[in-house]
Amino acid sequence: MESRVPVPGSERQLPPDARRVGPADPGEQVGITVVVRRRPDAEPHERAAPPLNRAAFAERLGAHDDDLAAVERFAREHGLTVVESSPERRTVKLTGSVADAGKAFGIELHRYDHPEHGSFRGRTGPVYVPTELTDVVEGVFGLDDRPQARPQFRVADPRAVTSSYTPVEVARAYGFPTDATGAGQTVAIVELGGGYRQSDLDTYFGDLGLPAPTVTAVSVDGGANDPSGDPSSADGEVLLDIEVVGAIATGARIAVYFAPNSDQGFVDAVTQAVHDRENAPSVVSISWGGPESTWTLQAQNALDAAFADAASLGVTVCVASGDNGSGDGVGDGRAHADFPASSPHVLACGGTRLDPGGNETVWNDGSTGGATGGGVSDTFDLPDWQSAAGVPHSANPDGRVGRGVPDVSGDADPQTGYRVLVDGQQATIGGTSAVAPLWAALVALLNERRDTPVGFLNPVLYGSSGSALRDVTSGDNDLGDAPGYSAGPGWDACTGLGSPDGAALERLLGS
């Protein structure tokens, strides 16, 4: 019998209230993504160096052919089929039966029912690989297909809306460039469910007097543009993202990467978007996430590595910081940061309330309306570029010093939300889901007139002490179920360095 070792960080536990139904069907087909290490001779990409091009990335920072071949041999020896190997994405895609996959990776797969997640195929404990792959394999995804993330949007109760804006009006309030359209840029949007109809886009942009954007749906792991017809479903997320980007960066192309809502789907969607040579996005918008405590360490590491790839390629990644205050909806009395916003390689986007006069406070509607996420990461250490920002110790008893979330902010309160069209219905939607595409659209505008894209913004923004941002100093993100954080001068764990000042950002970043 071959000697096996657990893949570090692959341990899974069942969510509370999960009920085991029985063994998974041994003949059921499973898609598996194996993530391998960077080539051992990889030279780190210096932050200040020009971005790498996608064609050269694999040779510099991708996987070594020998490592990919070793995983392929292991798979075939265990009855699994190799579908694809990608040096730049550092992945080997496999398929096989539940029975063969279970034997190959030393696990048992079962069916579970859960009141929130529904029916899923799951496992407990770690995933195992042969000893000779100990240093090669960094993650194995797809065996467990439980839902991983949630969309970070909130549909407003029409009776509670005090003021609402089109994305064009929000961009004007923040002084976005008016002489740029994002021409020549592609904005990637990651979606883990829902869909859009072209008729909605034609109507929405026609009513704004704008051309409908060119939108391409990209299928990942069988995911598809699949609108449900329910505006409160993930359709609300998809249309919000597209309509915010398309109304502000009117000349940019939009590529929407649809993937299943699982850790495998999330990893594969991000790596495909970042390394997509055909669409070649210069910015990625992500409005899905979940508490760090609900992720395996292997998934957090795989996504963080993909975001580091994006930084090396000059791609900006904007991520919503969450809509459930400092506790992130966990309900255990502790503060939790939302992931992937807590990755130190993304621009984490928090939420404000924007009144018609342009004044802003932290978005916090109380226990029924939600509040901006933000806090201190339990997974990632404090980055060097954030070391002088005054990130506090965690509000939890351990007082950890870690990556502070968010970095920036923007209008997110549903009561001062964005007017959108979803499944033929007018709606006002907020949440930090709106802030990620807002910032992504701004980046597309800024990239249009530059020889190189702005890329990883965080070191520049923190290095300027937030001088190109509008400081938000009033409010907190305490929803009552966890210790919260308060806004104040400078960086804070509610709104980061502040909301955008388009003209100041243009001056800071140059052309």
Side-chain angles (χ1 to χ4, degrees):
M1 184 175 181
E2 63 184 347
S3 177
R4 294 175 175 271
V5 294
V7 176
S10 63
E11 296 84 2
R12 294 221 77 158
Q13 297 178 343
L14 293 176
D17 301 324
R19 180 178 66 87
R20 180 176 176 273
V21 177
D25 178 356
E28 178 184 353
Q29 291 297 295
V30 180
I32 304 163
T33 300
V34 180
V35 176
V36 306
R37 64 182 175 182
R38 295 195 192 280
R39 55 188 308 125
D41 59 351
E43 297 181 5
H45 182 258
E46 296 298 329
R47 185 183 297 158
L52 300 174
N53 66 65
R54 286 181 169 88
F57 182 92
E59 294 183 7
R60 174 80 176 271
L61 291 172
H64 197 286
D65 289 343
D66 291 347
D67 288 344
L68 297 174
V71 173
E72 292 176 15
R73 284 195 302 273
F74 154 74
R76 293 189 180 103
E77 289 169 358
H78 289 81
L80 304 177
T81 300
V82 177
V83 176
E84 174 189 276
S85 285
S86 172
E88 60 269 25
R89 295 169 67 181
R90 297 188 293 116
T91 57
V92 180
K93 304 290 288 294
L94 311 171
T95 61
S97 68
V98 160
D100 287 337
K103 292 177 182 177
F105 293 101
I107 60 166
E108 292 184 356
L109 293 169
H110 298 274
R111 299 299 308 183
Y112 296 91
D113 280 339
H114 188 270
E116 178 183 355
H117 302 316
S119 176
F120 65 89
R121 184 182 64 242
R123 63 176 178 84
T124 58
V127 171
Y128 294 87
V129 294
T131 304
E132 59 267 24
L133 296 179
T134 300
D135 297 325
V136 173
V137 174
E138 294 186 346
V140 180
F141 305 98
L143 300 166
D144 186 309
D145 67 355
R146 74 185 73 180
Q148 181 62 65
R150 60 195 177 205
Q152 314 280 21
F153 76 101
R154 296 291 177 100
V155 179
D157 181 341
R159 297 167 297 181
V161 174
T162 58
S163 54
S164 61
Y165 313 98
T166 68
V168 176
E169 292 169 335
V170 176
R172 186 181 304 126
Y174 288 131
F176 283 17
T178 57
D179 55 350
T181 66
Q185 306 301 308
T186 297
V187 178
I189 299 174
V190 171
E191 303 290 2
L192 304 180
Y196 66 91
R197 292 184 174 89
Q198 187 62 44
S199 58
D200 276 347
L201 301 183
D202 292 340
T203 300
Y204 181 77
F205 289 99
D207 289 346
L208 290 177
L210 299 172
T214 300
V215 182
T216 301
V218 181
S219 176
V220 180
D221 295 345
N225 175 23
D226 186 23
S228 70
D230 178 3
S232 64
S233 71
D235 293 358
E237 181 62 66
V238 176
L239 270 300
L240 173 68
D241 292 340
I242 295 173
E243 290 170 359
V244 168
V245 171
I248 297 171
T250 56
R253 294 178 296 123
I254 298 173
V256 187
Y257 296 78
F258 288 99
N261 185 4
S262 64
D263 57 2
Q264 179 192 30
F266 214 144
V267 170
D268 288 349
V270 170
T271 59
Q272 184 160 335
V274 168
H275 294 284
D276 188 341
R277 299 189 193 184
E278 180 178 353
N279 293 299
S282 62
V283 56
V284 178
S285 178
I286 300 174
S287 293
W288 296 70
E292 287 180 328
S293 59
T294 63
W295 294 80
T296 61
L297 185 59
Q298 68 166 1
Q300 293 182 78
N301 287 339
L303 281 168
D304 180 56
F307 300 141
D309 290 353
S312 298
L313 292 164
V315 177
T316 310
V317 182
C318 306
V319 181
S321 70
D323 295 350
N324 292 284
S326 60
D328 209 21
V330 175
D332 62 356
R334 292 176 58 86
H336 293 270
D338 202 83
F339 181 82
S342 64
S343 162
H345 292 100
V346 307
L347 185 72
C349 302
T352 69
R353 177 185 177 89
L354 177 67
D355 71 29
N359 298 315
E360 287 183 277
T361 56
V362 175
W363 166 42
N364 189 339
D365 288 337
S367 59
T368 59
T372 182
V376 176
S377 172
D378 286 327
T379 301
F380 299 100
D381 294 335
L382 186 72
D384 59 348
W385 42 262
Q386 207 176 35
S387 60
V391 176
H393 292 257
S394 168
N396 291 323
D398 56 7
R400 171 180 159 79
V401 177
R403 152 72 157 134
V405 180
D407 301 302
V408 296
S409 55
D411 182 34
D413 191 331
Q415 295 181 14
T416 63
Y418 299 67
R419 295 198 296 272
V420 295
L421 182 68
V422 184
D423 294 324
Q425 299 183 37
Q426 299 283 346
T428 299
I429 296 182
T432 55
S433 274
V435 188
L438 176 75
W439 271 90
L442 174 57
V443 170
L445 298 181
L446 297 173
N447 280 344
E448 178 186 342
R449 290 191 298 236
R450 292 174 54 89
D451 294 330
T452 58
V454 299
F456 185 43
L457 273 172
N458 300 33
V460 178
L461 296 179
Y462 282 88
S464 71
S465 300
S467 60
L469 299 163
R470 300 172 12 160
D471 199 6
V472 180
T473 60
S474 176
D476 61 62
N477 65 357
D478 183 356
L479 283 181
D481 65 342
Y485 299 87
S486 296
W491 184 92
D492 56 67
C494 299
T495 62
L497 294 168
S499 58
D501 181 331
L505 278 166
E506 261 197 303
R507 291 192 297 269
L508 174 66
L509 296 171
S511 61

